[in-house]
């Protein structure tokens, strides 16, 4: 495989993007011709429905939980089968937008979740799809992936298909004003992690590196401001853009060891996805520094940190960046006694779809050492 710019890759993006203050209200104009609209939301985002200006027959499902599992998807599909929507709207964070993607493709029951896990298994799209992001983190609105937790095994199942790309994505910073500081910080680090892990990835590509660089720099410039003042419109817009760019990075390149190591913390400990990523991020960046010295230096500089490619220094500054956002970075303070770390290390190591992307091979013992260091 060539590792140069000439390597063929495919990038899917939403057909239309509405960005900036007031963008939410423009969804209604775009959607005027749809007659049966199903809006998915979480309890926190459901009250924003009125901002979208939707007409026609609108059904609201306001109960998408964070980190949704297959049972949450079933509840959504049940409503969708009744509504037979010609438009599905995801109004929320990654949890809501991921289920909106699946709802738009699966509500007729011709395919069920186990049929579509993995790449390119979704046969067709049944409804138009609009994604209205209310967090700046996952970049789910930009991409073709949906993550659902397996309620039996607690593993994340990834569905990936171009059938799930949005017809329209709406990025209105005002919708993120109400995100509390802790969730702002955690989701913002998730956006950065998407960019960083794609940028340092074994499959990194120049087409994506441009988005990654911009995303990391936006996080360096604006995330702290968003945490300090949730109504800072410019900073919130900057983070929505960073999140979108992170989503673009996820498509053709995707994440690596950082996300793989974060997954057990999310599924086993119940940590929010962004917080789990934040706890792991400094350690993996430092571990990978010897394999990507220039890019590691560039990342630190973009985040406004002293440039370095020395692992211990990288770890120190990257962890300091997260702590300055108010994030509790010690695993031991998150409600685990550490007994399960070996089991989680084996579990993370087995997520080969991500671990194989890492620029440096990581053994099970090295994964466990990172968990211990984060403890
Ligand atoms: N599709 C992808 O490519 C992709 C990428 C990364 C993560 N994910 C998935 O996305 C999910 C996490 O998404 P997330 O980090 O956006 O969090 P989330 O959607 O779970 O939301 C986190 C919490 O914030 C609340 N919230 C959302 N918007 C709010 C607002 N504007 N004001 C106040 N509260 C608000 C939600 O109700 C929820 O309680 C996970 O399931 C993760 O696996 C998907
Ligand atoms: Fe993520």
């Amino acid at each position: 495989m060539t590792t140069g710019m000439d390597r063929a890759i495919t990038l899917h993006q939403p057909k239309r993007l509405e960005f900036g203050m007031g963008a939410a209200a423009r969804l209604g104009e775009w959607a005027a011709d749809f007659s049966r609209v199903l809006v998915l939301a979480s309890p926190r985002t459901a009250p924003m429905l009125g901002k979208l200006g939707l007409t026609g027959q609108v059904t609201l499902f306001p109960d998408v939980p964070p980190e949704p599992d297959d049972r949450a998807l079933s509840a959504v599909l049940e409503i969708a089968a009744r509504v037979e929507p010609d438009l599905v709207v995801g109004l929320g964070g990654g949890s809501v937008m991921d289920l909106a993607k699946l709802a738009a493709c699966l509500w007729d029951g011709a395919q069920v979740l186990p049929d579509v896990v993995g790449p390119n298994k979704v046969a067709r799209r049944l409804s138009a799809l609009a994604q209205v992001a209310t967090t700046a983190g996952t970049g789910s609105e930009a991409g073709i992936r949906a993550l659902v937790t397996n309620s039996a095994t607690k593993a994340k199942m990834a569905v990936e298909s171009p059938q799930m790309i949005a017809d329209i994505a709406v990025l209105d910073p005002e919708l993120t004003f109400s995100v509390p500081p802790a969730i702002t910080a955690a989701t913002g680090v998730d956006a950065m992690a998407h960019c960083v892990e794609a940028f340092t990835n074994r499959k990194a590509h120049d087409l994506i590196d441009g988005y990654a660089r911009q995303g990391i720099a936006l996080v360096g410039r604006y995330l702290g401001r968003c945490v300090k003042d949730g109504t800072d419109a410019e900073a919130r817009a900057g983070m929505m853009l960073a999140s979108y760019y992170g989503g673009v990075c996820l498509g053709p390149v995707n994440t690596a060891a950082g996300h793989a190591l974060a997954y057990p913390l999310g599924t086993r400990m119940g940590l929010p996805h962004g917080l789990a990523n934040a706890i792991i991020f400094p350690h993996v960046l430092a571990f990978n520094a010897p394999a990507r010295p220039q890019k590691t230096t560039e990342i630190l500089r973009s985040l406004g940190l002293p440039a370095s490619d020395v692992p211990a220094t990288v770890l120190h500054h990257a962890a300091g960046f997260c702590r300055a956002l108010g994030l509790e970075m010690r695993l031991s303070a998150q409600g685990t006694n550490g007994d399960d770390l070996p089991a989680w290390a084996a579990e993370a190591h087995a997520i080969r779809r991500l671990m194989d992307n890492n620029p440096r091979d990581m053994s099970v013992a090295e994964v466990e050492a990172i968990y211990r260091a984060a403890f």
Side-chain angles (χ1 to χ4, degrees), residues 41-46 48 62 64-69 91-99 101 131-149 156-157 159 164 173-180 183-184 186-188 190-191 194 236 243 246-247 250-251 254-255 259 263 267 272-275 277:
S42 72
R44 291 281 180 73
T45 63
M48 299 173 191
V64 175
E67 317 279 327
D69 63 11
L91 172 62
S95 299
V96 169
M97 291 191 285
D98 282 5
L99 291 200
K101 288 175 185 169
Q131 298 284 28
V132 184
T134 67
T135 61
T138 68
S140 175
E141 72 281 0
I144 61 169
R145 241 179 236 121
L147 299 173
V148 180
T149 302
K156 285 265 183 185
M157 299 178 280
V159 180
M164 298 195 299
E174 196 179 353
L175 298 192
T176 65
F177 283 7
S178 54
V179 181
I183 298 180
T184 298
T187 49
D190 186 32
H194 297 156
R236 288 293 197 183
S243 170
L250 290 178
N254 207 359
T255 54
H259 266 64
Y263 276 137
T267 53
H273 177 76
L275 178 59
N277 273 297

Side-chain angles (χ1 to χ4, degrees), residues 259-306:
H259 266 64
L261 269 61
Y263 276 137
L265 309 186
T267 53
R268 303 287 167 191
M269 290 177 70
L271 290 191
H273 177 76
L275 178 59
N277 273 297
I279 290 170
I280 295 300
F281 155 75
H283 298 275
V284 172
L285 187 67
F287 180 89
N288 288 340
R292 292 287 184 274
Q294 274 172 351
K295 283 186 163 179
T296 302
T297 304
E298 191 180 333
I299 289 163
L300 290 191
R301 203 177 283 135
S302 290
L303 293 176
L305 303 169

Side-chain angles (χ1 to χ4, degrees), residues 107-134:
W107 61 255
D108 69 347
Q111 287 186 298
V112 292
L113 181 61
D115 299 333
V116 296
V117 173
N120 301 316
K121 304 252 183 75
V122 177
R124 65 198 174 290
R125 173 86 147 260
L126 305 167
S127 316
L129 179 62
Q131 298 284 28
V132 184
T134 67

Side-chain angles (χ1 to χ4, degrees), residues 4-9 198 203-210 253 295:
M5 206 185 291
D6 54 331
R7 178 163 54 88
I9 67 168
K203 295 193 311 205
H205 194 288
D206 289 81
L207 172 71
I208 297 305
D209 280 358
V253 177
K295 283 186 163 179

